[in-house]
Coordinates of all heavy atoms in Angstrom, one line a residue:
M1 N -66.0 15.7 29.5 CA -65.3 15.2 30.7 C -65.7 13.8 30.9 O -66.9 13.4 30.7 CB -65.8 16.1 31.8 CG -64.8 16.2 33.0 SD -63.2 16.7 32.7 CE -63.2 18.3 33.4
A2 N -64.8 12.9 31.3 CA -65.1 11.5 31.5 C -64.5 11.2 32.9 O -63.6 11.7 33.3 CB -64.6 10.6 30.4
T3 N -65.0 10.0 33.4 CA -64.4 9.4 34.6 C -63.5 8.3 34.2 O -63.9 7.4 33.4 CB -65.4 9.0 35.5 OG1 -66.3 10.1 35.9 CG2 -64.8 8.3 36.8
Y4 N -62.2 8.3 34.5 CA -61.2 7.3 34.2 C -60.8 6.5 35.5 O -60.6 7.1 36.5 CB -60.0 7.9 33.6 CG -60.2 8.6 32.2 CD1 -60.7 9.9 32.1 CD2 -60.0 7.8 31.0 CE1 -60.9 10.5 31.0 CE2 -60.3 8.4 29.8 CZ -60.7 9.7 29.8 OH -61.0 10.4 28.6
V5 N -60.6 5.2 35.3 CA -59.9 4.4 36.4 C -58.5 4.3 36.0 O -58.2 3.8 34.8 CB -60.6 3.1 36.5 CG1 -59.9 2.3 37.6 CG2 -62.1 3.2 36.9
I6 N -57.6 4.7 36.7 CA -56.2 4.7 36.5 C -55.5 3.9 37.5 O -55.7 3.9 38.7 CB -55.6 6.2 36.6 CG1 -56.4 7.2 35.8 CG2 -54.1 6.2 36.2 CD1 -56.3 7.0 34.3
A7 N -54.6 3.0 36.9 CA -53.7 2.2 37.8 C -52.2 2.8 37.7 O -51.7 3.0 36.6 CB -53.7 0.8 37.3
I8 N -51.6 2.9 38.9 CA -50.2 3.4 38.9 C -49.4 2.5 39.8 O -49.7 2.3 41.0 CB -50.2 4.8 39.5 CG1 -51.0 5.7 38.7 CG2 -48.7 5.3 39.6 CD1 -51.1 7.2 39.2
P9 N -48.5 1.8 39.2 CA -47.6 0.9 39.9 C -46.4 1.6 40.6 O -46.1 2.8 40.2 CB -47.1 -0.1 38.8 CG -47.0 0.8 37.6 CD -48.1 1.8 37.7
G10 N -45.8 1.0 41.6 CA -44.6 1.6 42.2 C -44.0 0.5 43.0 O -44.4 -0.7 43.1
T11 N -42.9 0.9 43.7 CA -42.1 0.1 44.6 C -41.7 0.8 45.8 O -41.2 1.9 45.7 CB -40.9 -0.5 43.9 OG1 -41.3 -1.1 42.7 CG2 -40.1 -1.5 44.8
F12 N -42.0 0.2 47.0 CA -41.5 0.8 48.2 C -40.1 0.3 48.4 O -39.9 -0.9 48.8 CB -42.4 0.5 49.4 CG -43.8 1.0 49.3 CD1 -44.9 0.2 49.2 CD2 -44.0 2.4 49.4 CE1 -46.2 0.8 49.1 CE2 -45.2 2.9 49.3 CZ -46.3 2.2 49.2
T13 N -39.1 1.2 48.3 CA -37.8 0.7 48.3 C -37.3 0.4 49.7 O -36.3 -0.3 49.9 CB -36.8 1.7 47.7 OG1 -36.9 3.0 48.4 CG2 -37.1 2.0 46.2
E14 N -37.9 1.0 50.7 CA -37.6 0.8 52.1 C -38.7 0.0 52.8 O -38.7 0.0 54.1 CB -37.4 2.2 52.8 CG -36.4 3.1 52.2 CD -35.0 2.6 52.3 OE1 -34.6 2.1 53.4 OE2 -34.2 2.7 51.3
G15 N -39.6 -0.7 52.1 CA -40.7 -1.3 52.8 C -41.7 -0.3 53.2 O -41.6 0.9 52.9
L16 N -42.8 -0.8 53.8 CA -43.8 0.1 54.2 C -44.3 -0.3 55.6 O -44.8 -1.4 55.8 CB -45.0 0.0 53.2 CG -46.2 0.9 53.5 CD1 -45.8 2.4 53.3 CD2 -47.4 0.6 52.5
S17 N -44.2 0.6 56.6 CA -44.6 0.3 57.9 C -46.1 0.4 57.9 O -46.8 0.9 57.1 CB -44.0 1.4 58.9 OG -44.6 2.7 58.7
G18 N -46.7 -0.2 59.0 CA -48.1 -0.2 59.3 C -48.6 1.2 59.3 O -49.8 1.4 58.8
S19 N -48.0 2.1 60.0 CA -48.5 3.4 60.2 C -48.5 4.2 58.9 O -49.4 5.0 58.6 CB -47.7 4.2 61.2 OG -46.3 4.3 60.9
S20 N -47.4 3.9 58.1 CA -47.3 4.6 56.7 C -48.4 4.0 55.8 O -49.0 4.8 55.0 CB -46.0 4.4 56.1 OG -45.1 5.1 56.8
H21 N -48.7 2.8 55.9 CA -49.7 2.2 55.1 C -51.1 2.8 55.4 O -51.9 3.1 54.6 CB -49.7 0.6 55.4 CG -50.7 -0.1 54.5 ND1 -52.0 -0.4 54.9 CD2 -50.5 -0.7 53.2 CE1 -52.5 -1.1 53.9 NE2 -51.7 -1.3 52.9
S22 N -51.3 2.9 56.8 CA -52.7 3.5 57.2 C -52.8 4.9 56.8 O -53.8 5.4 56.3 CB -52.7 3.5 58.7 OG -52.8 2.1 59.1
A23 N -51.6 5.7 56.9 CA -51.6 7.1 56.5 C -51.8 7.2 55.0 O -52.6 8.2 54.5 CB -50.3 7.8 56.9
L24 N -51.3 6.4 54.2 CA -51.5 6.4 52.7 C -52.9 6.1 52.4 O -53.5 6.8 51.5 CB -50.5 5.5 52.0 CG -50.5 5.5 50.5 CD1 -50.3 6.9 49.9 CD2 -49.5 4.5 50.0
R25 N -53.5 5.1 53.0 CA -54.9 4.7 52.7 C -55.8 6.0 53.1 O -56.7 6.2 52.4 CB -55.3 3.6 53.6 CG -54.9 2.3 52.9 CD -55.7 1.1 53.4 NE -55.3 -0.1 52.7 CZ -55.9 -0.5 51.6 NH1 -56.8 0.3 51.0 NH2 -55.6 -1.6 50.9
R26 N -55.5 6.7 54.2 CA -56.3 7.8 54.5 C -56.2 8.9 53.5 O -57.1 9.6 53.2 CB -55.8 8.3 55.9 CG -56.5 7.7 57.1 CD -56.2 8.6 58.4 NE -54.9 8.9 58.6 CZ -54.0 8.0 59.2 NH1 -54.3 6.9 59.6 NH2 -52.7 8.4 59.4
E27 N -55.0 9.1 53.0 CA -54.8 10.2 51.9 C -55.5 9.8 50.6 O -56.0 10.7 49.9 CB -53.3 10.3 51.7 CG -52.5 11.0 52.8 CD -53.0 12.4 53.1 OE1 -53.4 13.1 52.2 OE2 -53.0 12.7 54.3
L28 N -55.6 8.5 50.4 CA -56.2 8.0 49.1 C -57.8 7.9 49.2 O -58.5 7.9 48.3 CB -55.6 6.7 48.7 CG -54.2 6.7 48.2 CD1 -53.7 5.3 48.0 CD2 -54.0 7.5 46.9
A29 N -58.3 7.8 50.4 CA -59.7 7.6 50.8 C -60.6 8.5 50.0 O -61.7 8.0 49.5 CB -59.9 7.6 52.2
P30 N -60.4 9.8 49.9 CA -61.3 10.7 49.1 C -61.5 10.3 47.7 O -62.5 10.6 47.1 CB -60.7 12.1 49.2 CG -59.8 12.0 50.4 CD -59.3 10.6 50.5
R31 N -60.6 9.4 47.1 CA -60.7 9.0 45.7 C -61.6 7.7 45.6 O -61.8 7.3 44.5 CB -59.3 8.7 45.2 CG -58.3 9.9 45.3 CD -58.8 11.2 44.7 NE -59.3 11.1 43.4 CZ -60.0 12.1 42.8 NH1 -60.2 13.3 43.4 NH2 -60.5 12.0 41.6
H32 N -62.0 7.2 46.8 CA -62.8 6.0 46.7 C -64.2 6.4 46.7 O -64.8 6.6 47.8 CB -62.4 5.1 48.0 CG -62.7 3.7 47.8 ND1 -62.9 2.8 48.8 CD2 -62.7 2.9 46.7 CE1 -63.1 1.6 48.4 NE2 -63.0 1.6 47.1
T33 N -64.8 6.4 45.6 CA -66.2 6.8 45.4 C -67.1 5.6 45.4 O -66.7 4.5 45.5 CB -66.4 7.5 44.0 OG1 -66.2 6.5 43.0 CG2 -65.4 8.6 43.8
E34 N -68.4 5.9 45.4 CA -69.4 4.8 45.4 C -69.2 3.9 44.2 O -69.4 2.7 44.4 CB -70.9 5.5 45.4 CG -71.3 6.0 46.8 CD -71.2 5.0 47.9 OE1 -71.7 3.8 47.7 OE2 -70.7 5.3 49.0
L35 N -68.9 4.5 43.1 CA -68.7 3.7 41.9 C -67.6 2.7 42.1 O -67.7 1.5 41.8 CB -68.4 4.6 40.7 CG -68.1 3.8 39.3 CD1 -69.3 2.9 39.0 CD2 -67.7 4.8 38.3
S36 N -66.4 3.2 42.6 CA -65.3 2.3 42.8 C -65.6 1.3 43.9 O -65.1 0.1 43.8 CB -64.1 3.1 43.1 OG -64.1 3.8 44.4
R37 N -66.3 1.6 44.9 CA -66.7 0.6 45.9 C -67.6 -0.4 45.4 O -67.4 -1.6 45.6 CB -67.4 1.3 47.1 CG -66.5 2.0 48.1 CD -67.2 2.5 49.3 NE -66.4 3.5 50.0 CZ -66.5 4.8 49.9 NH1 -67.4 5.4 49.1 NH2 -65.7 5.6 50.5
S38 N -68.6 0.0 44.5 CA -69.5 -1.0 44.0 C -68.8 -1.9 42.9 O -69.3 -3.0 42.8 CB -70.7 -0.2 43.3 OG -70.3 0.4 42.1
E39 N -67.8 -1.4 42.4 CA -67.0 -2.2 41.4 C -65.9 -3.1 42.0 O -65.2 -3.8 41.4 CB -66.3 -1.3 40.3 CG -67.3 -0.6 39.4 CD -68.1 -1.6 38.5 OE1 -67.5 -2.5 38.0 OE2 -69.3 -1.3 38.4
G40 N -65.8 -2.9 43.4 CA -64.8 -3.7 44.1 C -63.4 -3.2 43.9 O -62.5 -4.0 44.1
L41 N -63.2 -2.0 43.6 CA -61.9 -1.4 43.3 C -61.1 -1.2 44.6 O -61.6 -0.4 45.4 CB -62.1 0.0 42.6 CG -60.8 0.7 42.1 CD1 -60.1 -0.1 41.0 CD2 -61.2 2.1 41.6
D42 N -60.0 -1.8 44.7 CA -59.1 -1.6 45.9 C -58.2 -0.5 45.6 O -57.4 -0.6 44.6 CB -58.4 -2.9 46.2 CG -57.6 -2.9 47.5 OD1 -57.8 -1.8 48.3 OD2 -56.9 -3.8 47.8
L43 N -58.2 0.6 46.3 CA -57.3 1.7 46.1 C -55.8 1.4 46.2 O -55.1 2.0 45.3 CB -57.7 2.9 47.0 CG -59.0 3.6 46.8 CD1 -59.2 4.5 48.0 CD2 -59.0 4.2 45.5
L44 N -55.4 0.5 47.1 CA -54.0 0.3 47.3 C -53.8 -1.2 47.5 O -54.4 -1.8 48.4 CB -53.6 1.1 48.6 CG -52.1 0.8 49.0 CD1 -51.1 1.2 47.9 CD2 -51.8 1.6 50.3
T45 N -53.0 -1.8 46.7 CA -52.6 -3.2 46.9 C -51.1 -3.2 47.1 O -50.3 -2.6 46.2 CB -52.9 -3.9 45.5 OG1 -54.3 -3.8 45.3 CG2 -52.5 -5.4 45.7
V46 N -50.6 -3.8 48.1 CA -49.2 -3.8 48.4 C -48.8 -5.3 48.4 O -49.4 -6.1 49.1 CB -48.8 -3.2 49.8 CG1 -47.3 -3.4 50.0 CG2 -49.2 -1.7 49.9
N47 N -47.9 -5.7 47.6 CA -47.4 -7.1 47.5 C -46.3 -7.4 48.4 O -45.6 -6.5 48.9 CB -47.0 -7.4 46.0 CG -48.1 -7.1 45.1 OD1 -49.2 -7.6 45.2 ND2 -47.8 -6.3 44.1
D48 N -46.0 -8.7 48.6 CA -45.0 -9.1 49.5 C -43.6 -8.6 49.1 O -42.7 -8.5 49.9 CB -44.9 -10.7 49.6 CG -46.1 -11.3 50.3 OD1 -46.8 -10.5 51.1 OD2 -46.4 -12.4 50.1
D49 N -43.3 -8.4 47.8 CA -42.0 -7.9 47.4 C -42.0 -6.4 47.4 O -41.1 -5.8 46.8 CB -41.7 -8.5 46.0 CG -42.7 -7.9 44.9 OD1 -43.7 -7.3 45.3 OD2 -42.5 -8.3 43.7
N50 N -42.8 -5.7 48.1 CA -42.9 -4.3 48.3 C -43.3 -3.5 47.0 O -43.2 -2.2 47.0 CB -41.6 -3.7 48.8 CG -41.4 -4.1 50.3 OD1 -42.4 -4.1 51.0 ND2 -40.2 -4.3 50.7
T51 N -43.7 -4.2 45.9 CA -44.3 -3.5 44.8 C -45.7 -3.1 45.2 O -46.3 -3.8 46.1 CB -44.3 -4.3 43.5 OG1 -45.1 -5.6 43.8 CG2 -42.9 -4.6 43.1
F52 N -46.3 -2.1 44.6 CA -47.6 -1.7 44.9 C -48.4 -1.2 43.7 O -47.7 -0.9 42.6 CB -47.7 -0.7 46.0 CG -47.1 0.7 45.6 CD1 -47.9 1.6 45.2 CD2 -45.7 0.9 45.9 CE1 -47.4 2.9 44.9 CE2 -45.2 2.1 45.6 CZ -46.0 3.2 45.0
A53 N -49.7 -1.1 43.8 CA -50.5 -0.6 42.7 C -51.6 0.3 43.4 O -52.2 -0.1 44.4 CB -51.1 -1.6 41.8
V54 N -51.7 1.5 42.9 CA -52.8 2.5 43.3 C -53.8 2.5 42.2 O -53.4 2.7 41.0 CB -52.3 3.8 43.7 CG1 -53.4 4.7 44.1 CG2 -51.3 3.7 44.8
R55 N -55.1 2.3 42.5 CA -56.1 2.4 41.5 C -57.1 3.4 42.0 O -57.6 3.3 43.1 CB -56.8 1.1 41.3 CG -56.0 0.0 40.6 CD -56.6 -1.4 40.7 NE -55.6 -2.4 40.5 CZ -54.9 -2.9 41.5 NH1 -54.9 -2.4 42.7 NH2 -54.0 -3.9 41.2
L56 N -57.3 4.5 41.1 CA -58.2 5.6 41.5 C -59.0 6.1 40.4 O -58.6 5.8 39.2 CB -57.5 6.6 42.2 CG -56.3 7.2 41.6 CD1 -56.6 8.6 41.2 CD2 -55.1 7.2 42.5
E57 N -60.0 6.7 40.7 CA -60.9 7.4 39.6 C -60.6 8.9 39.6 O -60.4 9.5 40.6 CB -62.4 7.3 40.0 CG -62.9 5.9 40.0 CD -64.3 5.9 40.4 OE1 -65.0 6.8 40.3 OE2 -64.7 4.8 41.0
V58 N -60.5 9.4 38.4 CA -60.3 10.8 38.2 C -61.2 11.3 37.1 O -61.5 10.5 36.1 CB -58.8 11.2 37.9 CG1 -57.9 10.9 39.0 CG2 -58.3 10.5 36.6
E59 N -61.6 12.5 37.1 CA -62.3 13.1 36.0 C -61.4 13.9 35.2 O -60.7 14.8 35.8 CB -63.5 13.9 36.5 CG -64.6 13.1 37.1 CD -65.9 13.9 37.3 OE1 -66.0 15.0 36.6 OE2 -66.8 13.4 38.0
A60 N -61.4 13.8 33.9 CA -60.5 14.5 33.0 C -61.1 14.6 31.6 O -62.0 13.8 31.3 CB -59.2 13.9 33.0
P61 N -60.7 15.5 30.8 CA -61.1 15.6 29.4 C -60.6 14.5 28.4 O -61.3 14.3 27.5 CB -60.6 17.0 29.0 CG -59.5 17.3 29.8 CD -59.8 16.6 31.1
D62 N -59.5 13.9 28.9 CA -59.0 12.8 28.0 C -58.0 11.9 28.8 O -57.7 12.2 29.9 CB -58.2 13.4 26.7 CG -57.1 14.4 27.1 OD1 -56.3 14.1 28.0 OD2 -57.0 15.5 26.5
R63 N -57.6 10.9 28.1 CA -56.7 9.9 28.8 C -55.4 10.5 29.3 O -54.9 10.2 30.4 CB -56.4 8.8 27.9 CG -57.6 7.9 27.6 CD -57.3 6.8 26.5 NE -58.5 6.1 26.1 CZ -58.8 4.9 26.6 NH1 -58.0 4.4 27.5 NH2 -59.9 4.3 26.3
Y64 N -54.8 11.3 28.5 CA -53.5 11.9 28.8 C -53.6 12.8 30.1 O -52.8 12.6 31.1 CB -53.0 12.8 27.7 CG -51.7 13.5 28.0 CD1 -50.5 12.8 27.9 CD2 -51.8 14.9 28.4 CE1 -49.3 13.5 28.3 CE2 -50.6 15.6 28.6 CZ -49.4 14.8 28.6 OH -48.2 15.5 28.9
E65 N -54.6 13.6 30.2 CA -54.9 14.4 31.4 C -55.2 13.6 32.5 O -54.9 13.9 33.7 CB -55.9 15.5 31.1 CG -55.5 16.5 30.1 CD -54.4 17.4 30.6 OE1 -54.3 17.7 31.8 OE2 -53.5 17.8 29.8
A66 N -56.0 12.5 32.3 CA -56.4 11.6 33.4 C -55.1 11.0 34.1 O -55.0 10.9 35.3 CB -57.3 10.5 32.9
K67 N -54.2 10.5 33.2 CA -53.0 9.9 33.7 C -52.1 11.0 34.5 O -51.6 10.6 35.6 CB -52.1 9.3 32.6 CG -52.7 8.1 32.0 CD -51.8 7.7 30.8 CE -52.4 6.7 30.0 NZ -51.5 6.3 28.9
L68 N -52.0 12.2 34.0 CA -51.3 13.2 34.7 C -51.9 13.5 36.1 O -51.1 13.6 37.1 CB -51.2 14.5 33.8 CG -50.3 14.5 32.7 CD1 -50.4 15.8 31.9 CD2 -48.8 14.2 33.0
K69 N -53.2 13.7 36.1 CA -53.9 14.0 37.3 C -53.7 12.9 38.3 O -53.5 13.2 39.5 CB -55.4 14.3 37.0 CG -56.1 14.8 38.2 CD -57.6 15.1 37.7 CE -58.4 15.7 38.9 NZ -59.8 16.1 38.4
A70 N -53.9 11.6 37.9 CA -53.8 10.6 38.8 C -52.4 10.4 39.4 O -52.2 10.2 40.6 CB -54.2 9.2 38.1
T71 N -51.4 10.6 38.5 CA -50.0 10.5 39.0 C -49.8 11.6 40.0 O -49.1 11.3 41.0 CB -49.0 10.6 37.8 OG1 -49.3 9.5 36.9 CG2 -47.6 10.6 38.3
D72 N -50.2 12.8 39.8 CA -50.0 13.9 40.7 C -50.7 13.6 42.0 O -50.2 13.8 43.1 CB -50.6 15.2 40.2 CG -50.3 16.3 41.0 OD1 -49.1 16.5 41.4 OD2 -51.3 17.1 41.3
L73 N -52.0 13.1 42.0 CA -52.7 12.8 43.2 C -52.0 11.7 44.0 O -51.9 11.7 45.2 CB -54.1 12.2 42.9 CG -55.1 13.3 42.4 CD1 -56.3 12.6 41.7 CD2 -55.5 14.2 43.5
V74 N -51.4 10.7 43.4 CA -50.7 9.6 44.1 C -49.4 10.2 44.7 O -49.1 9.9 45.9 CB -50.4 8.4 43.2 CG1 -49.5 7.4 43.9 CG2 -51.8 7.7 42.8
A75 N -48.6 11.0 43.9 CA -47.4 11.5 44.4 C -47.7 12.5 45.7 O -47.0 12.4 46.7 CB -46.8 12.4 43.4
T76 N -48.8 13.2 45.6 CA -49.2 14.1 46.7 C -49.6 13.2 47.9 O -49.2 13.5 49.0 CB -50.4 15.0 46.3 OG1 -49.9 15.8 45.3 CG2 -50.9 15.8 47.5
A77 N -50.4 12.1 47.7 CA -50.8 11.3 48.8 C -49.6 10.6 49.5 O -49.5 10.5 50.7 CB -51.8 10.2 48.3
L78 N -48.6 10.2 48.7 CA -47.4 9.6 49.2 C -46.7 10.6 50.1 O -46.3 10.3 51.3 CB -46.5 9.1 48.1 CG -46.9 7.8 47.4 CD1 -46.2 7.7 46.1 CD2 -46.7 6.6 48.3
R79 N -46.5 11.8 49.6 CA -45.8 12.9 50.3 C -46.6 13.2 51.6 O -46.0 13.3 52.7 CB -45.7 14.1 49.4 CG -44.8 15.2 49.9 CD -44.5 16.3 48.8 NE -45.7 16.7 48.1 CZ -45.9 16.4 46.8 NH1 -45.1 15.6 46.2 NH2 -47.0 16.8 46.2
E80 N -47.8 13.4 51.5 CA -48.6 13.7 52.7 C -48.7 12.6 53.7 O -48.8 12.8 54.9 CB -50.1 14.0 52.3 CG -50.3 15.3 51.5 CD -49.9 16.6 52.2 OE1 -50.2 16.6 53.5 OE2 -49.3 17.5 51.6
A81 N -48.5 11.4 53.3 CA -48.4 10.2 54.2 C -46.9 10.1 54.8 O -46.8 9.2 55.6 CB -48.8 8.9 53.5
G82 N -46.1 11.0 54.4 CA -44.7 11.0 55.0 C -43.8 10.0 54.3 O -42.7 9.6 54.9
I83 N -44.1 9.6 53.1 CA -43.3 8.7 52.3 C -42.5 9.5 51.3 O -43.1 10.0 50.3 CB -44.1 7.6 51.6 CG1 -45.0 6.8 52.7 CG2 -43.3 6.6 50.8 CD1 -46.1 6.0 52.2
P84 N -41.2 9.5 51.4 CA -40.4 10.3 50.5 C -40.5 9.8 49.1 O -40.6 8.5 48.9 CB -38.9 10.2 51.0 CG -39.1 9.8 52.4 CD -40.4 9.0 52.5
E85 N -40.4 10.7 48.1 CA -40.5 10.3 46.7 C -39.5 9.2 46.3 O -39.8 8.3 45.5 CB -40.3 11.5 45.8 CG -40.5 11.4 44.4 CD -40.4 12.7 43.6 OE1 -40.7 13.7 44.2 OE2 -40.0 12.6 42.4
D86 N -38.2 9.3 46.9 CA -37.2 8.3 46.5 C -37.4 6.9 47.1 O -36.8 6.0 46.7 CB -35.8 8.8 46.8 CG -35.6 9.0 48.3 OD1 -36.6 9.3 49.0 OD2 -34.4 9.0 48.7
Q87 N -38.4 6.8 48.1 CA -38.7 5.6 48.7 C -39.9 4.9 48.1 O -40.3 3.8 48.5 CB -38.8 5.8 50.2 CG -37.5 6.1 50.9 CD -37.7 6.2 52.4 OE1 -38.7 5.8 53.0 NE2 -36.7 6.7 53.0
A88 N -40.5 5.5 47.2 CA -41.7 5.0 46.5 C -41.8 5.5 45.0 O -42.7 6.2 44.6 CB -42.9 5.4 47.3
P89 N -40.8 5.1 44.2 CA -40.8 5.5 42.8 C -42.1 5.0 42.1 O -42.4 3.8 42.4 CB -39.5 5.0 42.1 CG -39.1 4.0 43.1 CD -39.6 4.3 44.5
L90 N -42.7 5.7 41.2 CA -43.9 5.4 40.5 C -43.5 4.9 39.1 O -42.7 5.5 38.5 CB -44.9 6.5 40.5 CG -45.4 7.1 41.8 CD1 -46.2 8.3 41.6 CD2 -46.1 6.0 42.6
G91 N -44.3 4.0 38.6 CA -44.2 3.5 37.2 C -45.2 4.3 36.4 O -45.9 5.2 36.9
P92 N -45.3 3.9 35.1 CA -46.3 4.7 34.2 C -47.7 4.4 34.6 O -48.1 3.2 34.8 CB -45.8 4.1 32.9 CG -45.2 2.8 33.1 CD -44.6 3.0 34.4
A93 N -48.5 5.4 34.5 CA -49.9 5.3 34.7 C -50.6 4.6 33.5 O -50.2 4.8 32.4 CB -50.6 6.6 35.0
A94 N -51.6 3.8 33.8 CA -52.4 3.1 32.8 C -53.9 3.3 33.0 O -54.4 3.2 34.1 CB -52.1 1.6 32.7
V95 N -54.6 3.6 31.9 CA -56.0 3.7 32.0 C -56.6 2.2 32.0 O -56.3 1.4 31.1 CB -56.6 4.4 30.8 CG1 -58.1 4.4 30.8 CG2 -56.1 5.9 30.8
T96 N -57.4 1.9 33.0 CA -58.0 0.5 33.1 C -59.5 0.5 32.9 O -60.1 -0.6 32.9 CB -57.5 -0.2 34.4 OG1 -58.0 0.6 35.5 CG2 -56.1 -0.3 34.5
G97 N -60.0 1.7 32.9 CA -61.5 1.8 32.7 C -61.9 3.2 32.5 O -61.1 4.2 32.7
M98 N -63.1 3.4 31.9 CA -63.5 4.7 31.5 C -65.1 4.7 31.5 O -65.7 3.7 31.1 CB -63.0 5.1 30.2 CG -63.4 6.5 29.8 SD -62.9 6.8 28.1 CE -64.5 6.7 27.3
D99 N -65.6 5.8 31.9 CA -67.1 6.0 31.9 C -67.4 7.4 31.3 O -66.9 8.4 31.9 CB -67.7 5.9 33.3 CG -69.3 6.0 33.2 OD1 -69.8 5.7 32.2 OD2 -69.8 6.4 34.3
G100 N -67.9 7.5 30.1 CA -68.2 8.8 29.6 C -67.5 9.0 28.3 O -67.0 8.0 27.6
E101 N -67.4 10.2 27.8 CA -66.7 10.6 26.6 C -65.2 10.5 26.7 O -64.7 10.8 27.7 CB -67.2 12.0 26.1 CG -68.7 12.2 25.9 CD -69.2 11.4 24.8 OE1 -68.5 11.4 23.7 OE2 -70.2 10.8 24.8
D102 N -64.6 10.2 25.6 CA -63.1 10.3 25.5 C -62.7 11.3 24.5 O -63.1 11.4 23.5 CB -62.5 8.9 25.2 CG -61.0 8.9 25.4 OD1 -60.4 9.8 25.9 OD2 -60.5 7.9 24.9

């Protein structure tokens, strides 16, 4: 098992209200560990053009499973924050860091 840092891009097609932004950050907060804080990892970056990136840590046996798990976590966080799937399509997940065995 290894810890992976996964980046998932996306676009808010309808923009993102302040309350939705706060709700999404709350949903992602459990993924912000001491390691990610010490590394300066920002869980959610939203750009002026409504594109965004979520960066989070997941534990998984390999890169493929890490990407799947991270994508599922982000999709769930968006849904729980009240952001419909069609208003925040996700791009492909990418491994940006790893700690442990692969």
Side-chain angles (χ1 to χ4, degrees):
M1 206 55 109
T3 300
Y4 294 87
V5 177
I6 307 293
I8 301 175
T11 303
F12 293 115
T13 60
E14 305 290 321
L16 184 66
S17 69
S19 61
S20 292
H21 187 267
S22 296
L24 182 54
R25 281 199 172 274
R26 273 193 309 277
E27 292 298 324
L28 293 170
R31 307 306 310 170
H32 206 202
T33 65
E34 283 303 316
L35 175 63
S36 64
R37 283 187 193 97
S38 69
E39 293 295 319
L41 185 66
D42 189 7
L43 289 174
L44 176 63
T45 303
V46 180
N47 302 308
D48 291 338
D49 63 355
N50 289 324
T51 59
F52 66 93
V54 176
R55 291 169 200 84
L56 53 111
E57 294 175 28
V58 295
E59 288 194 17
D62 57 43
R63 291 171 185 265
Y64 177 77
E65 291 296 324
K67 289 179 190 180
L68 288 178
K69 186 174 183 179
T71 300
D72 185 52
L73 287 167
V74 171
T76 299
L78 287 163
R79 190 170 44 255
E80 293 294 321
I83 302 167
E85 187 176 331
D86 64 334
Q87 290 182 14
L90 300 175
V95 175
T96 61
M98 185 187 102
D99 183 28
E101 300 292 320
D102 188 11

